[in-house]
Amino acid sequence: MNAGIRAVVRSGLYYDLNVFGIYRGFDGMVNGDIFPMEAKSVANIIQRGGTMLKTARSEEFKSPEGRAKAYENLKKFDIDALVAIGGDGTFTGSDIFMKEYDMPIMGLPGTIDNDLQGTDFTIGYDTAINTVINAVDKIRDTAESHDRVFIVEVMGRDSGLIALRSGIGTGAEAILIPETKLDFSGFLTRLDKTRKNKSSRIIIVAEGDKDSDAFSVADKVKDRFPHYDVRISVLGHIQRGGSPTCMDRVLASRLGVAAVEGLLEGRKGEMAGLQGGNITFTDFGNAIKHIDHVNPNLLKIVDILSL
Ligand code: F6P
């Protein structure tokens, strides 16, 4: 997100605009937590995780009175356009505000879950999956040394895309994600078969897979194969932090510039994204449509390679 903030600030200044930062998103708009930004305000942040502007959920912004306060505060600073970074909640709130107050807003896709439409990748996703593969590589050392089965739970809210890509990247023996229905008996048989080829087995489970959460999967594996040495590892919030990968920095930089240029061209209510290597714009409503699609070719790769 910092790389995105930097890109928005610097491109705004490049095009001779006055640029302001708003702390904690909508919450800062409601409370007037707004300050002018210069080129140096965003120096030395491209390599930092998190967001220098901080983030918060705003209950007040959900009410018309809260949004009226937010609008009054923006007017005090002569702010006549916004760039919002986030996902579902950010774009839903932006859409309402934009229509109520005729305030042009452009969006950047900021979530590790990669669950927005209109961009191949969201800002933060690549860093998160690289964090997962670093962690799982380390877990693999223990799994391999002790001949263990590890169930590793990764984030993603309702999406299995972190699990899918990091599973391929770590050579996981199975990936359990909410987008696909698991044939449990087939899964257990297959897991046992792989035993002849390897002493460690890693099963990546997406946190959103309510039918097969890490603990129930571990129980079922233990029930069927009591001789297996099974461990569970929940990776948790390490996935949301750390220095961003080059891919995320470049993505955020490109999209930040595109959002500002989009505003100058008269665009509004759209999220800047990258599809097939090209900048694209998708309206907020379509960007947050939940389409449970996973690339079937990637699923097939897991099957082919996990023998
Ligand atoms: O949506 C991003 C995400 O990191 C999800 O993958 C995860 O479920 C959630 O946020 C964690 O949110 P919190 O930090 O509020 O627990």
Side-chain angles (χ1 to χ4, degrees):
M1 290 208 182
N2 281 325
I5 294 166
R6 173 177 176 270
V8 170
V9 172
R10 294 252 167 108
S11 48
L13 297 170
Y14 177 89
Y15 289 113
D16 286 330
L17 305 174
N18 293 321
V19 184
F20 295 85
I22 303 174
Y23 279 123
R24 297 184 176 80
F26 296 141
D27 206 44
M29 275 164 58
V30 173
N31 297 311
D33 215 351
I34 301 171
F35 64 101
M37 292 187 91
E38 306 160 29
K40 72 167 184 266
S41 318
V42 289
N44 202 23
I45 64 166
I46 195 167
Q47 75 279 23
R48 302 216 176 117
T51 158
M52 67 165 294
L53 291 178
K54 300 184 173 284
T55 183
R57 294 199 171 89
S58 174
E59 281 308 314
E60 237 186 312
F61 191 76
K62 289 184 185 158
S63 69
E65 296 74 27
R67 293 194 293 278
K69 268 168 85 181
Y71 182 70
E72 286 313 312
N73 283 326
L74 295 182
K75 283 286 125 199
K76 279 185 205 153
F77 291 87
D78 268 340
I79 292 172
D80 54 12
L82 293 169
V83 178
I85 310 181
D88 263 15
T90 306
F91 296 158
T92 304
S94 296
D95 212 34
I96 296 169
F97 190 69
M98 197 183 71
K99 287 173 183 154
E100 257 173 10
Y101 291 99
D102 197 22
M103 168 76 58
I105 308 181
M106 289 296 282
L108 300 187
T111 165
I112 63 165
D113 301 341
N114 203 30
D115 60 349
L116 294 170
Q117 308 304 309
T119 189
D120 294 341
F121 299 107
T122 52
I123 298 165
Y125 176 63
D126 189 64
T127 304
I129 57 180
N130 275 288
T131 301
V132 173
I133 67 168
N134 285 330
V136 173
D137 286 352
K138 293 184 173 108
I139 289 171
R140 179 73 83 172
D141 289 343
T142 297
E144 191 66 18
S145 308
H146 292 261
D147 298 342
R148 281 180 182 162
V149 173
F150 263 88
I151 323 275
V152 181
E153 186 195 278
V154 299
M155 278 186 167
R157 207 177 289 272
D158 304 316
S159 160
L161 295 179
I162 291 180
L164 181 60
R165 217 163 256 265
S166 59
I168 294 173
T170 52
E173 279 60 45
I175 296 166
L176 311 187
I177 57 176
E179 292 86 347
T180 57
K181 181 107 194 83
L182 180 69
D183 154 23
F184 228 97
S185 151
F187 157 75
L188 290 173
T189 309
R190 194 178 159 86
L191 186 67
D192 200 42
K193 259 198 193 157
T194 58
R195 205 167 180 224
K196 67 176 187 325
N197 294 331
K198 47 196 123 186
S199 52
S200 66
R201 262 80 50 76
I202 303 272
I203 300 162
I204 307 268
V205 180
E207 65 171 350
D209 195 343
K210 302 295 176 228
D211 295 332
S212 35
D213 69 280
F215 292 88
S216 70
V217 173
D219 286 345
K220 286 182 183 146
V221 172
K222 275 302 274 180
D223 280 351
R224 174 88 170 263
F225 308 114
H227 53 294
Y228 278 13
D229 196 2
V230 181
R231 292 288 188 282
I232 298 168
S233 183
V234 178
L235 295 188
H237 283 79
I238 62 164
Q239 293 160 94
R240 280 169 59 117
S243 182
T245 60
C246 183
M247 187 179 142
D248 264 334
R249 297 180 198 195
V250 175
L251 176 70
S253 300
R254 288 185 71 181
L255 297 186
V257 174
V260 172
E261 289 181 341
L263 279 173
L264 291 170
E265 286 160 12
R267 290 185 172 279
K268 58 182 175 180
E270 293 176 329
M271 179 197 82
L274 197 71
Q275 294 184 90
N278 300 311
I279 297 287
T280 56
F281 297 99
T282 304
D283 65 75
F284 287 147
N286 284 326
I288 60 176
K289 261 192 192 135
H290 283 284
I291 302 174
D292 269 3
H293 68 229
V294 287
N295 182 342
N297 296 326
L298 294 185
L299 284 170
K300 191 171 171 203
I301 285 173
V302 180
D303 264 357
I304 295 174
L305 300 182
S306 61
L307 292 177

